[in-house]
Each structure stands twice: as structure tokens, then as C-alpha cells.
Amino acid sequence: QNAVYYGAEHPVLMRALQAKTFAIPTVTAWHESELLAVETTTAATVLTVSSAGQQHRLTTGLLVGADGPRSRIRQQANIQTTGWQYGQSCVTTVLKPEKSHQNTAYEKFWPSGPFAILPIPGDRCQVVWTAPHHEAQAMMDLPHEQFMTELKRRYGNDMGELQMLTKPLMFPVRLMQSHAYVKPRLALVGDAAHCCHPVGGQGLNMGIRDAAALADVLMRAHERREDLGSLRVLKRYERWRRTENWLILGMTDILNRTFSNQLWPLQVIRRLGFWVMDRVALLRGIALRVMTGRYGRLPLKS
């Protein structure tokens, strides 16, 4: 069965999601607001929020924490995490190559880390260049011409000359998994629950799958007239997503560690892995199902 996969720029995706959200009459959206306090009881969660210079108290049966890797909601709920820093950072920028990318994504593995070339509309490419912190910072400190020389050396000449369209940005890389995704009246999704290495481009995908799984669980619970914020209901979401996310975290961790060095035993393992994946359709299919989110299924037990 053939499948088509899409890559979306963050601003484009956000505009579409916000436009859809604002069009829903039952949704109230506040911008530039700050969460001041969270109080949870057996019956509800009460939030104290500052918005436009005023404080508001909101009562809800379920709070969803989707506030990123430094999640304040997760911290206030005293949910611990497991993980580590990779000692790497990613440098990213948007380029306009001379020749069309033909809507094809590439990932090149250098000793210092993976180098991804991701096609976006208008024959542009988003580059995500992973390297040790000191190397990434040294690249960021280079004058434009020297930076482009180093970038072209890794990018290759297949698409001709390259024109930089956006200022390079740098961000650190880490792996993180929360000890729990849920508590009574609380569910964590996306980077608030987990973070992975960007190799394979799975971070956003995992968050979207979290949101879809949580919505599915809540809709089924609503049909049964169950309490949406109860731990019994929310544990269904945690069982569904946490195992699959561990699998993705492990796969991206192994990929990065295997390809980010030149130890000869790992070179042999890499070549063997490519050979097996190329010849064993079943294994290739399982890997694709996992990486494209078609592996997880909602547990039937309540």
C-alpha cells in the first residue's frame, strides 16, 4: 500500500491550526497569558492565570499540559523525568538551492552527527545540522561566507549553488521521558511528556499522535458518560502512548549513537543494518509502521 507523507513549516502549520481553533465557537483562546498556580482536588482543577494584566481563576475537569520540554504544568504536578543531554546542538536554517529538491528529503550521517535536508514549498530546504556543542557554536560564530562554505561541504553539490534565506538558529539536543503522562485531572502531551533526538524528524509527529490518542480516549469516555479527568480514563491514554514513545526514543537514540562516530565495530553494524533493512521487507515494514505512527493501537481494556 502506497502512502504519501508531508512536511510542514512551523508558521504555516500554526496559522492553519489557530485559524481552525478560533473558528470553533466553544473554544476561548488567550494569548500571551501566564499560568500562575494550579490547584487540583478530587473533583476539579483550578487554574490561576494572568492575562492582559488581570488575574483569572478557571475551573476544569481536565488540564492538558502541552507547554513544552520545560513544562511548568509538569513541574507543578511533581512529575519526574528520565533522560540525558547528548552533548550536541542543532544548527538550522532555510536555503534556496539552485536546482529543485524534487520533494525528496535526505539525511546524511557525518561523524559529528546527522545532517538533514528537508524539502519545503517554493523549492526551499530546511537544513537541520547536528554537531557537538563546541562545533555547532563555532559554526554559528563564523562569518557568512565561511559558514556557507562549511554548510556546502556537508550539503553536497547535487542541487547546485545555495542561497541562505533565514538567519541560522541553534538549539541543544536531549532525550527525556516523563515518569508518568497522567495524574488525576491532568494529562501531558508532546514535549511536555517527552523529547527525542531530531534524527528521523519524530518530535512533532509524536506530539500529534499524543493529541490524537488523547482525543480518541476522551471521546470514547464521553460516549460512556465517564469522568474525563479520572485516572481510570487517563491511564488508557498513558498505556497507549508511553510504550510507543519509548520505542521511538530508543530508535532515535540508537540511530544517533550508531551514526555519530567512526568506531569500526559500529561501522560494521551500520553496514549490516542497511543490508538487512534493504533485503528483509517485513523488518522494513515494521520500522516504517513505528516511525509513521501506525504501530500503536488503543488498548481495549479500561
Side-chain angles (χ1 to χ4, degrees):
Q1 182 179 356
N2 293 328
V4 178
Y5 303 101
Y6 298 90
E9 294 177 85
H10 182 264
V12 175
L13 185 60
M14 288 301 297
R15 283 197 298 270
L17 290 173
Q18 289 173 351
K20 184 69 174 178
T21 300
F22 298 158
I24 302 174
T26 54
V27 172
T28 300
W30 288 357
H31 291 279
E32 299 181 5
S33 303
E34 181 182 2
L35 178 65
L36 301 179
V38 179
E39 305 168 39
T40 301
T41 67
T42 56
T45 293
V46 180
L47 312 177
T48 303
V49 179
S50 174
S51 179
Q54 296 183 338
Q55 288 192 14
H56 306 266
R57 285 176 64 84
L58 308 175
T59 302
T60 179
L62 173 62
L63 172 63
V64 178
D67 50 341
R70 299 184 183 88
S71 172
R72 187 170 181 182
I73 292 174
R74 184 187 69 234
Q75 294 170 6
Q76 291 201 10
N78 292 318
I79 296 177
Q80 303 300 310
T81 63
T82 297
W84 50 81
Q85 301 287 340
Y86 281 104
Q88 295 174 315
S89 288
C90 287
V91 176
T92 181
T93 184
V94 176
L95 304 173
K96 174 80 172 179
E98 182 181 1
K99 301 176 184 177
S100 173
H101 48 55
Q102 300 297 320
N103 294 318
T104 302
Y106 301 88
E107 189 136 33
K108 302 183 179 183
F109 294 94
W110 288 79
S112 58
F115 184 93
I117 303 171
L118 310 174
I120 52 180
D123 277 329
R124 296 169 298 145
C125 293
Q126 177 90 39
V127 169
V128 182
W129 174 359
T130 307
H133 288 313
H134 67 277
E135 182 179 330
Q137 187 60 61
M139 293 301 105
M140 292 291 292
D141 293 339
L142 287 176
H144 174 76
E145 293 300 326
Q146 294 183 36
F147 180 92
M148 291 301 296
T149 298
E150 289 297 319
L151 188 145
K152 290 175 183 177
R153 187 166 68 87
R154 291 162 176 78
Y155 194 107
N157 299 316
D158 296 344
M159 298 184 201
E161 290 299 314
L162 304 175
Q163 176 188 358
M164 182 187 292
L165 300 181
T166 63
K167 182 180 179 180
L169 300 174
M170 185 177 78
F171 60 91
V173 180
R174 63 177 299 201
L175 179 145
M176 182 273 285
Q177 173 81 308
S178 296
H179 291 182
Y181 283 13
V182 301
K183 278 192 168 186
R185 309 289 166 198
L186 171 66
L188 300 177
V189 299
D191 285 357
H194 47 73
C195 296
C196 69
H197 195 284
V199 62
Q202 289 300 302
L204 176 61
N205 294 345
M206 293 167 70
I208 291 173
R209 294 170 203 155
D210 288 348
L214 180 59
D216 192 302
V217 168
L218 296 179
M219 286 190 294
R220 295 188 188 202
H222 177 70
E223 291 172 355
R224 300 173 182 175
R225 298 186 179 181
E226 296 177 293
D227 181 356
L228 302 187
S230 70
L231 195 59
R232 179 182 179 183
V233 169
L234 298 178
K235 278 290 185 180
R236 298 170 193 160
Y237 158 70
E238 182 178 70
R239 288 195 300 270
W240 182 354
R241 291 301 304 152
R242 202 159 180 273
T243 300
E244 181 181 328
N245 286 339
W246 261 129
L247 191 56
I248 298 294
L249 291 173
M251 290 179 66
T252 55
D253 184 68
I254 291 171
L255 277 173
N256 179 60
R257 294 180 187 277
T258 303
F259 285 95
S260 294
N261 61 73
Q262 290 300 300
L263 293 175
W264 72 263
L266 290 179
Q267 293 184 41
V268 173
I269 292 173
R270 288 201 300 259
R271 290 171 185 151
L272 178 61
F274 278 128
W275 185 89
V276 171
M277 290 291 287
D278 186 51
R279 287 163 175 77
V280 182
L282 177 61
L283 183 60
R284 188 167 62 249
I286 292 174
L288 286 173
R289 285 178 64 83
V290 171
M291 301 299 277
T292 55
R294 299 185 176 188
Y295 173 79
R297 289 293 182 269
L298 181 64
L300 296 179
K301 296 180 180 181
S302 57

